[in-house]
Each structure stands twice: as C-alpha cells, then as structure tokens.
C-alpha cells in the first residue's frame, strides 16, 4: 500500500543507499523536494559492532554527510543525526515532522533487515520497505531463475544476464563468438611494467572532520587513515569510473589475476566500494565499459572480463545470498575446520611474502583484489583449516567494500568451500605453485615454493598436501578433484607423515608465538 502524496511521508536513508534515484526517494519523485523530509543516522552502535577498517568508517560517514548536503541543496528538509542506534532518532524525526509514513529502501544485508523489523513496534507511524533497486536483478527474479535447477553455475547465470540486458551481444550470440575470455586473462605480472596510479581525492573539510572523529573514537580499529583518498561523492565516483575506463580498462583483462609486490592496484577499477554504497549503479558502470569497447581501443577480453565481474559475479553473489542465507548458510562448515585465525592476519607479521604483502596492503587501503582474496587469503585459510566463520568475520572487518551480502557467499562459499559445493564445484585449494606463477612474491620470500617439507618448505605446500590428506574422503566424490587425489596417492607414506607432522608443528609454533 502506498500513501497518497498529500500525506506527510519521510525517507530514511541507510549508509549504503546513497544514490539520488534509490527506491525510497524515487517513489516520491512526483513531490517537490521540500515536501519530502529525509533522515540519515550515523550510528555508533554500527561502528562499534565490529573492528571496521578505519578507512571504511571514514568512507561511509563522509559519503553519507556529502549526500545529505546534496539533498539539502536540492531542497529536501534533511535531518542528520549522530546517535548510538536507530530507534530514538527515528522516533524523534517522525514526530517532529508529523509523518504518516516512513519509506525505506530494503537493506541489502539480512541482519540489517532484521534490525529494521524490530523497530516497527516502536515507530509512531508505519514503515514501508521498498524493493532495493541498486542491483540489476531483484531477489525474486534470481530465486525464480534458480528454482528447479539441478545446478547453480555462475556461467549459466552470466549468459542469461548478457541475453536479458543485451550486453556485448550480436543478435542472439555473444560478440566475438565467445561468452568468456578467461583463458586470455591469466597473464602473470611483467617485471618493470608501469601501472597508472588510481585517481584519488584530497580530503575536504567534511572528510577531515570525519577523520578526526574516527581517530578520536575509533583509532584502535584496524587499519590506517594515512593517505585516505577515496571518492566520497557521486561526482567523484563517476570521475574514478572514467579514469578507469580511459587508463586501465584497456589492459585490465590479461593482468586481472596478476599480483606484484609494491603494486597495490595494478589495472583494477577500485569501483566496488562505490557500487556497494550506491554512489554508482551497476547499469551505468557496465554501460560505460561497453560503450568504450564499441568506440574502440578496448580489447574484447578486457571489456568482457570486467563486465563479467559485475553483471556475472556481483549479481550472482547477491542473488545467491538472497536464495541461501535464510537456510543457515552463514554457519556452514563442510570440512569441520576449527582452528583459530592466526594473529598475523591482524599484524601482518609473517615470513610468507605473499601474505605479508597482501596484509600490509589491506592495512594501508582496506583493499585487495579478487585473486589476492581468493588465492592468497582464502586459500591459506582453507588449507590451514581455519574456522570459516572466523575468516568471514575478519574479511568483513578489514575490507572497505565489505557487507554481509558480499562476504558470506564470497568467503563461506567461494573462498572456503564451507558450503560443500553449493556455490562452486570444487575447493579453490592450491599449493605455492599458483602464487609463484601469478606473482613475484616468491622471489622475495624465505620459503621455497617447490618444497613440501623441510625448513624452507613453503607453508602453502605443506598445508595443501595436509589438507588433501585430512579430507580425502570428502574430496573424492568431487569429480574435478580426482586427478589431484591420484597424485596424492602416489606420495610415499614417509613423505605423507612428514607433511602432517610439519603442518601440526607449524600450528603449535604459531599458538606459542
């Protein structure tokens, strides 16, 4: 039921809903702005609920304050409140404006929805929650696509999205005759290659005020504020998009999986924080990349590889989250892993160069690209046997683009295979050889990526084979693991015993450190 325009109706905007056409604002676009009061709540309970990276706190709150200022300039009566939680500011705002209804775009995160539902009983007027329009597929559309399928595969969903939205299509066929250019997009880093620096912005007065607040109240949180240069407005985010299209998208495809010491960003877009805040929409980002391809100068593998990350992976993860989270997905632990998160995940103090570089980068920026997340951080956590929920909580804490809908399927499903194959067909477990091939990290490491046991053996190798030994019976039914397990079976019993003993000794030494 919608309220007639004559009834006083206000819009409550959450921190990740910062687009002028977000559903709640758009539903009242026929009214003049001065008749649509808007509320923002800067919640200290949210900030304290976990060890959020300091730069994420600054990004979220600065972007909120800038968007509030923008709406005020457009004529909306804006109330911006710094408070402990949501209930009291909502009650006071609704009464002050004599509201008959509050409108809210549906939160993307299910825990936030649950919190919102608890507020209904204390609000002085009805709350109308509207469909989230920050995604290309609605939750219902994804669930309708998924129901009745024997398998849920990203590739199937991605092809359906290409057809549905007419993206990189030639009639009923994909441009270039292929749906996927993954094989072309796996080049290792090239020594001496220079990468264009990302577009950054000096903190303005609003951002500086937020930074001071975070230093004062949340300076004990993970990460550093030094060098903060993220976009905090939609105008700035659009500039970042254009800068990526012009300077990095042409080279993105071949080197999207590469990792290089001293290079934190390579050719990556750095757009995920802005998409997840609502400063950018997936439609306009995809359209910008497709239009650039048609203008010329962007190879098809680069355009397709980038578009697949948004049209395919981002939309798929969100849909999968809506489909599976109500079924206890967050507590999945297929392998029964129980080991605690090592302290060096927080400090970055480890002799493993790949982890040291990646963790240092996250401390500096709250950012690591998808292969660092999957094949360094998640891979190590999987083969070392760390509890999935501890890993997911850490990911949620330290990344600037983290939200529940992002991290649950990415970590529990893709990264750790804790769901037993609901999201992917095999665990993304790998030895040091993958990291050695796709990065230059191993050149500066005290460990040897070719050794399984011994003083210089890379822990990735030791844990990889230990993982296969521990879970052979669970892995055997997975068809894609048979070749690897056949290789495992050819190892001498003495080598197997050494691997298991060295893995156990590593954990004992880590626990005593």
């Amino acid at each position: 039921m919608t309220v007639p325009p004559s009834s006083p109706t206000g819009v409550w905007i959450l921190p990740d809903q910062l687009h002028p056409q977000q559903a709640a604002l758009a539903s009242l676009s026929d009214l003049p702005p001065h008749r649509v009061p808007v509320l923002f709540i800067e919640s200290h309970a949210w900030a304290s609920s976990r060890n959020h990276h300091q730069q994420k706190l600054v990004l979220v709150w600065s972007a909120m304050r800038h968007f509030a200022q923008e709406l005020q300039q457009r004529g909306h009566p804006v109330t911006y409140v710094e408070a402990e939680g949501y209930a009291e500011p909502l009650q006071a705002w609704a009464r002050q404006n004599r509201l008959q209804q509050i409108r809210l775009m549906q939160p993307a995160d299910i825990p936030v929805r649950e919190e919102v539902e608890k507020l209904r009983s204390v609000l002085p007027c009805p709350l109308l929650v509207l469909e989230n329009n920050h995604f290309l597929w609605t939750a219902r559309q994804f669930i309708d696509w998924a129901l009745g399928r024997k398998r849920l595969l990203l590739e199937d969903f991605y092809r359906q999205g290409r057809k549905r939205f007419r993206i990189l299509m030639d009639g009923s066929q994909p441009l270039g005759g292929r749906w996927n250019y993954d094989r072309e997009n796996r080049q290792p880093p090239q020594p001496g290659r220079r990468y264009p620096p990302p577009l950054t912005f000096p903190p303005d007065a609003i951002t500086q005020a937020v930074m001071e607040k975070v230093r004062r109240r949340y300076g004990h949180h993970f990460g550093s504020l030094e060098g903060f240069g993220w976009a905090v407005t939609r105008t700035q985010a659009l500039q970042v998009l254009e800068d990526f299209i012009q300077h990095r998208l042409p080279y993105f495809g071949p080197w999207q999986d590469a990792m290089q010491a001293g290079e934190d960003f390579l050719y990556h877009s750095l757009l995920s924080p802005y998409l997840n805040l609502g400063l950018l929409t997936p439609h306009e980002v995809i359209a910008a990349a497709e239009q650039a391809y048609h203008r010329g100068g962007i190879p098809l593998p680069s355009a397709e590889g980038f578009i697949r990350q948004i049209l395919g992976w981002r939309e798929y993860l969100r849909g999968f989250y809506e489909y599976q989270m109500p079924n206890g997905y967050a507590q999945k632990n297929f392998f029964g892993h129980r080991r605690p998160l090592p302290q060096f995940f927080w400090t970055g103090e480890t002799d493993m160069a790949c982890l040291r570089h990646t963790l240092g980068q996250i401390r500096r920026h709250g950012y690591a690209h998808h292969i660092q997340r999957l094949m360094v951080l998640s891979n190590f956590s999987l083969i070392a046997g760390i509890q999935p929920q501890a890993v997911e909580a850490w990911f949620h804490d330290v990344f600037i683009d983290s939200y529940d809908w992002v991290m649950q399927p990415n970590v529990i499903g893709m990264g750790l295979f804790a769901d037993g194959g609901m999201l992917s067909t095999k665990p993304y477990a790998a030895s040091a050889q993958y990291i050695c091939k796709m990065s230059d990290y191993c050149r500066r490491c005290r460990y040897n990526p070719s050794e399984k046991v011994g003083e210089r053996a890379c822990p990735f190798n030791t844990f990889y084979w230990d993982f296969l030994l521990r879970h052979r019976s669970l892995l055997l039914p997975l068809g894609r693991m048979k070749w690897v397990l056949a290789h495992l079976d050819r190892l001498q019993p003495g080598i197997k015993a050494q691997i298991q003993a060295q893995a156990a000794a590593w954990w004992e030494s880590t626990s005593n450190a």
Side-chain angles (χ1 to χ4, degrees):
M1 179 181 112
T2 59
V3 172
S6 59
S7 300
T9 303
V11 173
W12 174 26
I13 297 179
L14 296 176
D16 59 345
Q17 302 180 347
L18 308 182
H19 194 278
Q21 292 301 314
Q22 62 110 298
L25 284 174
S27 73
L28 297 169
S29 60
D30 289 343
L31 295 176
H34 73 269
R35 289 182 55 192
V36 183
V38 176
L39 173 67
F40 294 85
I41 303 172
E42 201 168 283
S43 169
H44 301 306
W46 168 77
S48 302
S49 64
R50 57 190 326 127
N51 190 11
H52 291 290
H53 196 293
Q54 292 182 52
Q55 291 201 23
K56 180 175 182 180
L57 294 176
V58 173
L59 173 64
V60 170
W61 285 342
S62 179
M64 280 178 66
R65 293 184 186 192
H66 280 91
F67 188 50
Q69 183 182 72
E70 178 185 333
L71 293 183
Q72 193 167 38
Q73 291 169 350
R74 294 185 181 194
H76 288 276
V78 172
T79 300
Y80 195 101
V81 181
E82 298 179 56
E84 185 62 28
Y86 294 137
E88 290 184 10
L90 275 165
Q91 292 168 338
W93 172 68
R95 291 190 178 108
Q96 180 182 356
N97 289 276
R98 300 180 180 177
L99 298 180
Q100 296 300 305
Q101 185 185 69
I102 298 171
R103 294 192 182 185
L104 172 71
M105 185 168 80
Q106 185 185 59
D109 284 352
I110 290 174
V112 181
R113 288 180 215 166
E114 293 170 348
E115 186 175 357
V116 167
E117 286 304 310
K118 293 175 184 176
L119 292 170
R120 287 185 184 274
S121 62
V122 301
L123 294 177
C125 64
L127 173 67
L128 176 65
V129 177
L130 300 167
E131 180 76 46
N132 192 307
N133 64 352
H134 283 182
F135 299 90
L136 297 172
W137 292 70
T138 67
R140 183 71 257 168
Q141 287 167 342
F142 182 93
I143 292 169
D144 287 344
W145 172 83
L147 286 173
R149 289 179 173 266
K150 293 182 179 180
R151 63 177 192 175
L152 294 183
L153 287 182
L154 167 65
E155 188 65 22
D156 294 344
F157 176 78
Y158 171 58
R159 294 184 185 189
Q160 183 67 26
R162 289 271 295 273
K163 295 173 185 176
R164 178 184 173 194
F165 297 105
R166 306 297 306 159
I167 294 170
L168 294 180
M169 295 296 294
D170 181 11
S172 61
Q173 298 301 311
L175 280 177
R178 288 168 54 188
W179 293 102
N180 189 312
Y181 289 85
D182 241 5
R183 288 197 299 272
E184 284 83 349
N185 292 347
R186 294 173 180 168
Q187 295 298 314
Q190 295 182 333
R193 191 174 188 89
R194 297 176 66 88
Y195 301 94
L199 181 63
T200 59
F201 304 88
D204 63 7
I206 291 176
T207 301
Q208 289 178 29
V210 177
M211 292 174 73
E212 178 55 34
K213 172 180 175 176
V214 170
R215 286 192 191 98
R216 187 176 68 254
R217 295 194 59 168
Y218 304 100
H220 59 284
H221 276 224
F222 178 78
S224 168
L225 289 181
E226 185 177 351
F228 181 93
W230 295 96
V232 292
T233 67
R234 173 165 165 77
T235 298
Q236 290 178 344
L238 287 168
Q239 292 174 21
V240 175
L241 171 60
E242 178 57 33
D243 183 78
F244 166 69
I245 296 292
Q246 182 176 351
H247 297 295
R248 293 191 294 287
L249 181 57
Y251 313 100
F252 171 79
W255 291 285
Q256 65 177 292
D257 288 359
M259 299 172 283
Q260 188 168 334
E263 294 291 344
D264 293 346
F265 307 116
L266 291 89
Y267 293 117
H268 288 272
S269 71
L270 309 184
L271 295 175
S272 59
Y274 313 132
L275 284 162
N276 294 353
L277 282 172
L279 295 177
L280 297 176
T281 69
H283 178 271
E284 67 190 344
V285 171
I286 292 169
E290 184 177 27
Q291 290 164 12
Y293 164 74
H294 287 301
R295 288 196 302 267
I298 308 293
L300 184 55
S302 285
E304 186 277 322
F306 174 68
I307 287 172
R308 178 159 28 93
Q309 288 194 345
I310 301 171
L311 176 64
W313 190 239
R314 184 176 188 270
E315 292 288 323
Y316 182 72
L317 281 184
R318 188 268 180 152
F320 185 90
Y321 174 83
E322 297 284 353
Y323 187 44
Q324 294 294 351
M325 276 299 288
N327 304 318
Y329 189 83
Q331 299 308 314
K332 298 288 185 183
N333 191 349
F334 178 69
F335 295 112
H337 287 164
R338 292 286 183 262
R339 284 171 172 158
L341 192 78
Q343 186 63 22
F344 68 72
F345 267 60
W346 296 109
T347 66
E349 296 174 0
T350 173
D351 289 339
M352 289 176 275
C354 57
L355 278 164
R356 187 172 65 250
H357 283 290
T358 301
L359 293 168
Q361 175 182 322
I362 296 167
R363 176 172 287 277
R364 289 190 297 276
H365 311 295
Y367 172 82
H369 71 66
H370 65 286
I371 292 300
Q372 292 172 304
R373 300 188 196 201
L374 178 64
M375 300 308 299
V376 177
L377 300 167
S378 293
N379 181 24
F380 181 84
S381 301
L382 168 64
I383 60 180
I386 301 172
Q387 186 200 38
Q389 287 67 39
V391 181
E392 190 280 331
W394 180 85
F395 268 74
H396 200 148
D397 285 354
V398 303
F399 282 109
I400 200 161
D401 56 3
S402 67
Y403 293 89
D404 196 61
W405 72 266
V406 175
M407 291 308 175
Q408 294 291 354
N410 253 313
V411 178
I412 299 297
M414 186 71 170
L416 303 181
F417 203 76
D419 63 1
M422 297 167 67
L423 185 67
S424 58
T425 55
K426 75 174 186 67
Y428 277 82
S431 70
Q433 291 304 307
Y434 178 88
I435 296 171
C436 189
K437 174 186 175 184
M438 294 305 299
S439 79
D440 63 356
Y441 294 147
C442 299
R443 299 176 191 173
R444 301 168 178 84
C445 188
R446 66 165 287 236
Y447 295 111
N448 187 332
S450 299
E451 295 183 13
K452 299 183 184 70
V453 292
E455 184 179 345
R456 295 196 64 235
C458 176
F460 274 83
N461 288 339
T462 306
F463 282 130
Y464 174 68
W465 293 104
D466 180 61
F467 168 77
L468 297 179
L469 287 165
R470 283 184 285 123
H471 297 302
R472 187 184 185 283
S473 62
L474 289 174
L475 297 170
L476 188 60
L478 307 175
R480 296 179 67 188
M481 295 297 296
K482 288 183 178 178
W483 181 87
V484 172
L485 294 176
H487 186 52
L488 174 73
D489 293 341
R490 290 194 292 270
L491 291 180
Q492 294 295 322
I495 295 295
K496 293 179 182 179
Q498 288 181 54
I499 288 170
Q500 291 178 309
Q502 186 155 333
W506 187 94
W507 271 108
E508 184 176 353
S509 66
T510 299
S511 300
N512 295 330

